[in-house]
Amino acid sequence: MRIARIKPEAVNPDKRTDVDLSLIDSVIERYKGKKGNLIPLLQGAQTTYGYIPKEVFDKIALETGLKKNDLYGVATFYAQFRLSPVGKVVVRVCHGTACHVQNATVITEDLQNFLNVKDGETTEDRLFTLESVACLGCCSLAPCMMIGEETFGKLNGKKAVDIVKSIKRKESLDNKPNQAKPELWKA
Amino acid sequence: MESIKITVGLGSCGIAAGAGKVFDEIVRIKEADNLKFDLAKTSCIGMCFREPLVEIKDETGSYLYGDVDVKKIDEIIEKHIVNFSPIKEYIVKSDQFDTPYKEYFDAQVKITLRNCGNIDPEHITEYENRQGYKAIRKITSEKTPPEDVIKSVLDSGIRGRGGAGFSTGMKWNFARNSKSDEKYVVCNADEGDPGAFMDRSVLEGDPHSVLEGMIICAYAIGATHGYIYCRAEYPLAVKRLNLAINQAREKKYLGNNLFGIEGFNFDIIVKEGAGAFVCGEETALMASIEGQRGMPRKRPPFPAVKGLWKKPTNINNVETYANIPWIILNGPAAYSQYGKEKNRGTKVFALTGKIKNGGLVEVPMGITIRDIIYKLGGGIINDKKFKAVQLGGPSGGCIPEYLADTSIDYESVTATGAIMGSGGMVVMDETTCMVDVARFFLDFTQKESCGKCTFCRIGTKRMLEILTRITQGEGKEEDIPALEELAQQIKDATLCGLGNSAPNPVLTTLKYFRNEYEAHIRDKKCPSLYCKKLLTYEVIPDKCTGCVVCKRGCPVGAIDGDKKIVHFIHQELCTKCGDCYSKCKFDAIKIS
């Protein structure tokens, strides 16, 4: 069922107080008073913070007049919204039909073992979050996973772990910003 | 050399396969060697199984290269562009000679996908150069009465391509006849079925055809506002749609007093979904656009009477709208020449699973499943035995091999217990366990149930529990009748399509693969050797070299043996993790 029961402490496990509330001002400004604005407001908040902090719910409710009840109702209904921060790298393993019949389960299992987290959890160093998603729409490359915006296809458990390993190595070696080649095809 | 054009397919699939890197490499070579040719981008060409794809057009003809990577592109440019000699073995399609894929292309009729892979979707002029926006210009300049537009759509025989297959012309007629000061045109682009990606390809490859279809609909029913509800999981589609809408506004295809008609006002907004499968259901989709939880509501009133913001609304799927400009321009008869009886035109399918040529195919309605799988799909991977095909995603069902001559039309597919659905076609071979497939879909619908109807919310959960138990070897005799009873109750007592159709995967597998259920329950065996808990791992003495690798790896110490002595697995200790099987280098572990 799509209703996630929120435990009080899960709403804000970090007890973070360093949320910069001014970052959300432009989003609120843009959607305030418009009909059908609730989902875009939450999507804006999530894009800004990576998740929706409790304080931001309060602020949106206060400034737009939307009910906090409705905000939480919507935020817990849709799979996209997160109520707690995620790791720096989100690993999304596809579990669509095509991937499932090509053994996507093994990929998730191997990644769980390697990262020592369960599905949906974040590693202790806050580097990786492991997620299962319904379908990435790259069925002809099944089984596949998405890391950041990059999709990796034709995987098996070992290949998937190797990819995550190499990212982990890169992250631990240099915390310098990635000097990747410019991607011309995106222009 | 001036007239050479290189086009790279940059759809989501292509990018995932590395097309972006190939494109960058072409730019690099072009600059480094000072070569003169045009370089262009296009979207999905449909042959996902040979991505990345690069097309070279020169004075002699067109050549489509498949499986191109950074290394290959160097070779291709060197030989083809510099030395004028195409590399035949890499070419998958050409107008100069036949390739092994001749049948794959010849069996297809491209109407929906007429522009996909042929134009750069980010430039409106490319769409216009292929008769884009001509259909709406035609009806507005000839002042065609809206009723006649609807009649054309009706006569073409097109039915909703989202899955249910309701007549599009009739739907438009209902919306036209509803009196209101405001009406809406909604495009359902919330393609949530796992294993389906037709809509994504159209949105990424030819967004303007969808916009034009919606504009024609607005003209026909008298609407002023349009929404495209698109999955957030399709970032490229959202980006290209927004780009297309802005370009259309600049060209005055969207806005006020369009095409010189006073009072013809229409604009389109893209709404991003937030990840809920149930929002593909039309009433839930509208609730989501309104900013609420995406929960379906009772019909009637139908959206054509009381839809978005309680106003008359016409809602169609991406593929349906993309067909409309073609129908208006070429006439309903040109469309209805394809297909048979009540099923006219073409349908796009996403072929995936254990199939050689996975990708998108557009075929005339009425083709058989066997033709799609063998003529277009090239057969099963590794030439294994074809077992079943899953149609219609979580709402659909599995059609077994012996019914492969079923014709693809709404009525025949429904008669098998599956549904036509949006066009996902997942092919399964002898290694796919049908009980597990049913469990997989129930897991999906159970998670995606919105929770409004008790039978859907709790019933699917109970069914999932039973199925999980069966796949783990704890099935009981009474499980099968219990599943059948629950399935019927869920079908009868739920409000929307999600609940009504959720039991279909279980019912069809029970109907066609009952023996597999019985093998799981009575013999505690999985005939497809998929369900881990039901497998036995044994050492084949003749093959075992006594290397100790499996013994060392076994997490529960269930393997006995020493160096150069044949090993033995103690069944009472084995937890069936499969570690020994994957680690053995001599294929000395047997699964049964």
Side-chain angles (χ1 to χ4, degrees):
Chain A
M1 194 181 45
R2 302 213 56 87
I3 302 162
R5 309 248 176 243
I6 331 161
K7 292 176 197 130
E9 71 270 24
V11 175
N12 201 356
D14 272 7
K15 297 195 175 56
R16 290 164 70 110
T17 46
D18 55 345
V19 176
D20 181 359
L21 286 173
S22 66
L23 294 174
I24 195 75
D25 285 341
S26 62
V27 177
I28 294 178
E29 198 56 44
R30 191 164 155 211
Y31 291 109
K32 198 174 173 179
K34 294 196 177 152
K35 63 176 180 181
N37 60 359
L38 203 158
I39 293 174
L41 273 167
L42 293 178
Q43 282 171 331
Q46 177 143 309
T47 315
T48 312
Y49 300 101
Y51 73 109
I52 312 174
K54 185 175 171 290
E55 296 84 343
V56 174
F57 276 107
D58 297 342
K59 178 163 166 148
I60 293 176
L62 193 73
E63 294 195 10
T64 62
L66 290 164
K67 289 194 192 85
K68 244 200 308 193
N69 196 357
D70 291 337
L71 289 171
Y72 272 106
V74 167
T76 52
F77 183 83
Y78 293 98
Q80 185 189 23
F81 299 116
R82 309 165 191 285
L83 300 179
S84 53
V86 280
K88 191 171 166 195
V89 181
V90 181
V91 181
R92 294 186 178 88
V93 182
C94 180
H95 283 263
T97 322
C99 288
H100 180 77
V101 299
Q102 311 262 52
N103 267 333
T105 326
V106 175
I107 295 172
T108 296
E109 279 171 7
D110 286 2
L111 286 175
Q112 282 176 345
N113 289 338
F114 174 71
L115 294 171
N116 199 19
V117 289
K118 287 198 194 100
D119 195 16
E121 289 182 352
T122 303
T123 52
E124 246 171 50
D125 55 6
R126 292 227 170 276
L127 190 54
F128 290 102
T129 298
L130 181 65
E131 280 186 348
S132 292
V133 292
C135 189
L136 295 172
C138 293
C139 311
S140 49
L141 299 171
C144 60
M145 66 177 179
M146 199 179 204
I147 299 180
E149 278 192 5
E150 200 171 349
T151 312
F152 301 86
K154 299 190 174 160
L155 296 171
N156 55 36
K158 189 176 175 302
K159 272 193 206 167
V161 169
D162 284 347
I163 291 164
V164 172
K165 246 186 212 165
S166 74
I167 293 172
K168 191 171 181 178
R169 205 176 308 130
K170 221 194 262 164
E171 291 286 341
S172 62
L173 276 179
D174 55 351
N175 282 323
K176 280 176 279 178
N178 225 341
Q179 288 185 335
K181 273 194 254 171
E183 289 173 314
L184 302 161
W185 59 273
K186 279 187 184 166
Chain B
M1 212 167 165
E2 313 293 312
S3 58
I4 297 177
K5 185 176 178 187
I6 303 186
T7 312
V8 183
L10 285 164
S12 280
C13 283
I15 293 168
K21 289 184 188 121
V22 171
F23 186 91
D24 288 0
E25 179 68 10
I26 299 175
V27 175
R28 194 192 64 77
I29 300 173
K30 189 181 173 188
E31 280 170 10
D33 299 350
N34 198 21
L35 297 173
K36 285 200 178 64
F37 55 78
D38 288 331
L39 180 58
K41 292 186 251 186
T42 189
S43 191
C44 179
I45 301 170
M47 289 184 93
C48 304
F49 58 103
R50 299 303 297 268
E51 293 275 14
L53 294 158
V54 174
E55 188 191 48
I56 299 183
K57 269 191 185 154
D58 58 24
E59 306 91 349
T60 64
S62 79
Y63 308 87
L64 184 65
Y65 286 91
D67 291 320
V68 181
D69 56 25
V70 173
K71 235 164 105 188
K72 265 194 195 164
I73 195 68
D74 285 356
E75 190 188 345
I76 292 166
I77 291 184
E78 165 91 38
K79 290 200 176 141
H80 191 141
I81 309 276
V82 183
N83 298 324
F84 306 104
S85 87
I87 312 173
K88 268 198 170 182
E89 64 264 36
Y90 296 166
I91 292 172
V92 293
K93 188 190 181 189
S94 170
D95 51 9
Q96 297 304 306
F97 51 86
D98 285 343
T99 68
Y101 297 106
K102 186 177 177 331
E103 207 172 24
Y104 173 86
F105 289 106
D106 287 353
Q108 298 197 52
V109 178
K110 301 225 170 181
I111 295 177
T112 314
L113 302 175
R114 59 195 181 276
N115 295 323
C116 286
N118 289 315
I119 59 167
D120 182 343
E122 299 190 357
H123 291 96
I124 191 169
T125 45
E126 299 222 355
Y127 178 67
E128 289 173 323
N129 290 341
R130 289 177 64 98
Q131 302 203 311
Y133 292 106
K134 264 215 177 125
I136 182 68
R137 277 181 195 283
K138 183 169 172 249
I139 52 176
T140 48
S141 65
E142 291 172 4
K143 304 241 168 351
T144 314
E147 290 81 5
D148 291 4
V149 176
I150 295 177
K151 190 168 180 310
S152 292
V153 176
L154 207 56
D155 290 346
S156 74
I158 186 172
R159 293 166 69 174
R161 292 290 186 249
F166 190 77
S167 159
T168 305
M170 274 167 77
K171 219 178 201 181
W172 287 24
N173 219 0
F174 292 143
R176 160 132 204 104
N177 292 336
S178 291
K179 297 279 166 275
S180 172
D181 53 335
E182 242 178 298
K183 289 182 191 176
Y184 291 95
V185 172
V186 177
C187 173
N188 184 345
D190 191 46
E191 184 175 55
D193 281 5
F197 52 96
M198 304 75 50
D199 294 352
R200 194 205 71 207
S201 284
V202 174
L203 297 171
E204 285 179 3
D206 193 14
H208 286 286
S209 69
V210 180
L211 301 188
E212 192 181 357
M214 291 176 71
I215 297 168
I216 294 169
C217 178
Y219 177 85
I221 70 165
T224 47
H225 297 285
Y227 284 97
I228 301 176
Y229 187 87
C230 186
R231 268 183 106 188
E233 287 90 335
Y234 288 172
L236 191 61
V238 172
K239 184 189 143 208
R240 288 192 177 154
L241 273 174
N242 278 319
L243 202 66
I245 289 172
N246 284 334
Q247 290 169 348
R249 281 181 190 146
E250 270 168 34
K251 291 250 179 177
K252 305 261 182 281
Y253 297 145
L254 290 173
N256 291 335
N257 303 321
L258 300 172
F259 304 98
I261 298 178
E262 191 75 22
F264 180 21
N265 307 334
F266 185 63
D267 204 357
I268 299 175
I269 297 170
V270 177
K271 278 270 177 181
E272 273 183 63
F277 175 70
V278 69
C279 289
E281 201 277 342
E282 56 184 18
T283 58
L285 186 150
M286 291 185 298
S288 183
I289 291 180
E290 290 171 5
Q292 302 158 19
R293 300 163 69 101
M295 288 173 137
R297 59 162 178 74
K298 217 174 90 190
R299 293 177 304 181
F302 285 94
V305 178
K306 216 178 201 184
L308 191 61
W309 318 109
K310 299 198 168 58
K311 303 283 184 189
T313 303
N314 181 71
I315 175 161
N316 282 127
N317 160 272
V318 171
E319 214 183 311
T320 315
Y321 283 123
N323 278 311
I324 298 295
W326 193 95
I327 292 172
I328 298 294
L329 219 47
N330 296 280
Y335 190 78
S336 63
Q337 66 171 302
Y338 300 107
K340 57 175 198 186
E341 293 147 29
K342 287 182 187 162
N343 294 268
R344 294 293 168 183
T346 59
K347 172 84 191 90
V348 186
F349 286 98
L351 259 183
T352 59
K354 310 261 173 104
I355 186 103
K356 280 182 188 158
N357 305 346
L360 283 188
V361 292
E362 182 169 359
V363 289
M365 299 284 274
I367 190 174
T368 64
I369 293 176
R370 194 180 300 282
D371 279 351
I372 294 188
I373 291 174
Y374 286 98
K375 279 196 184 153
L376 291 139
I380 311 295
I381 294 178
N382 297 331
D383 293 316
K384 288 204 170 148
K385 201 169 163 277
F386 165 44
K387 188 186 217 171
V389 61
Q390 212 281 344
L391 274 186
S395 314
C398 295
I399 300 175
E401 195 268 343
Y402 72 84
L403 290 179
D405 292 311
T406 303
S407 122
I408 292 286
D409 60 71
Y410 289 97
E411 286 73 26
S412 306
V413 173
T414 310
T416 67
I419 61 160
M420 184 85 150
S422 58
M425 209 180 241
V426 186
V427 179
M428 296 159 186
D429 68 7
E430 53 193 326
T431 62
T432 315
C433 171
M434 303 315 283
V435 185
D436 177 71
V437 166
R439 189 204 56 80
F440 166 77
F441 282 117
L442 254 290
D443 182 49
F444 182 85
T445 32
Q446 182 267 131
K447 281 182 190 148
E448 294 294 339
S449 168
C450 81
K452 186 168 183 169
C453 306
T454 318
F455 279 89
C456 178
R457 183 180 69 238
I458 302 172
T460 54
K461 186 145 182 92
R462 291 294 96 85
M463 282 181 89
L464 174 66
E465 283 166 4
I466 297 175
L467 289 165
T468 308
R469 217 169 55 217
I470 297 176
T471 56
Q472 291 180 345
E474 290 154 25
K476 297 177 235 162
E477 270 309 309
E478 61 267 30
D479 281 345
I480 294 180
L483 280 174
E484 283 168 332
E485 196 189 340
L486 274 167
Q488 200 50 52
Q489 288 169 345
I490 294 170
K491 268 181 165 301
D492 291 344
T494 50
L495 203 56
C496 82
L498 189 146
N500 292 157
S501 62
N504 285 352
V506 181
L507 289 175
T508 52
T509 48
L510 269 173
K511 186 169 166 193
Y512 300 118
F513 301 96
R514 204 179 185 93
N515 56 338
E516 291 199 19
Y517 280 84
E518 288 167 351
H520 280 75
I521 294 171
R522 291 181 195 153
D523 312 332
K524 309 290 174 209
K525 288 279 174 210
C526 175
S528 318
L529 302 182
Y530 183 87
C531 299
K532 272 192 172 174
K533 285 265 170 82
L534 299 176
L535 304 178
T536 355
Y537 292 84
E538 281 167 317
V539 176
I540 307 170
D542 289 349
K543 285 191 177 170
C544 180
T545 60
C547 69
V548 229
V549 166
C550 62
K551 187 190 168 188
R552 264 195 236 126
C554 183
V556 290
I559 303 178
D560 252 352
D562 259 319
K563 271 201 177 153
K564 302 207 170 152
I565 294 171
V566 173
H567 294 7
F568 180 80
I569 303 174
H570 291 278
Q571 296 304 327
E572 67 282 7
L573 296 174
C574 177
T575 55
K576 323 201 183 214
C577 70
D579 190 71
C580 52
Y581 179 76
S582 54
K583 283 201 175 134
C584 181
K585 291 189 181 116
F586 308 98
D587 293 327
I589 307 283
K590 185 176 81 177
I591 306 178
S592 59

